Amino acid sequence: MNFLQPLLSAIHASNQPWWVKVRTQTPDCTYYFGPFDSKSEAKLLQAGYLEDLNQEGAQNIKLAVEKAHPKNLTSCAFE
């Protein structure tokens, strides 16, 4: 049955929605925005999230569009 595992994993991954993942250094946080039906939809809307975080003073922002099923939409490391 192990030979089916890669196939089942691929099928599961293809059913996951698209998310915009945003990492900021200051504050040290990860944000997920979504879910989106397509990668292009997520990419189209990511600029708005970037603008909002810039206005809030976030620094060193990195964006990625990925298929995921995040457990938490926001997670931050606090001292």
Side-chain angles (χ1 to χ4, degrees), residues 20-72:
V20 175
K21 179 181 179 181
V22 181
R23 286 275 307 131
T24 59
Q25 185 176 17
T26 306
D28 184 5
C29 294
T30 301
Y31 306 92
Y32 283 93
F33 299 98
F36 301 100
D37 292 328
S38 68
K39 186 175 185 177
S40 59
E41 179 186 16
K43 283 185 169 257
L44 179 69
L45 295 172
Q46 72 182 3
Y49 305 127
L50 176 62
E51 183 179 337
D52 288 347
L53 289 168
N54 276 322
Q55 288 179 357
E56 291 177 14
Q59 297 177 347
N60 297 326
I61 302 169
K62 295 183 180 172
L63 295 129
V65 175
E66 59 185 42
K67 284 191 170 194
H69 189 75
K71 291 180 182 178
N72 297 308

Side-chain angles (χ1 to χ4, degrees), residues 1-15:
M1 193 87 137
N2 285 342
F3 68 93
L4 289 178
Q5 190 60 37
L7 178 61
L8 293 174
S9 294
I11 290 169
H12 176 69
S14 70
N15 290 331

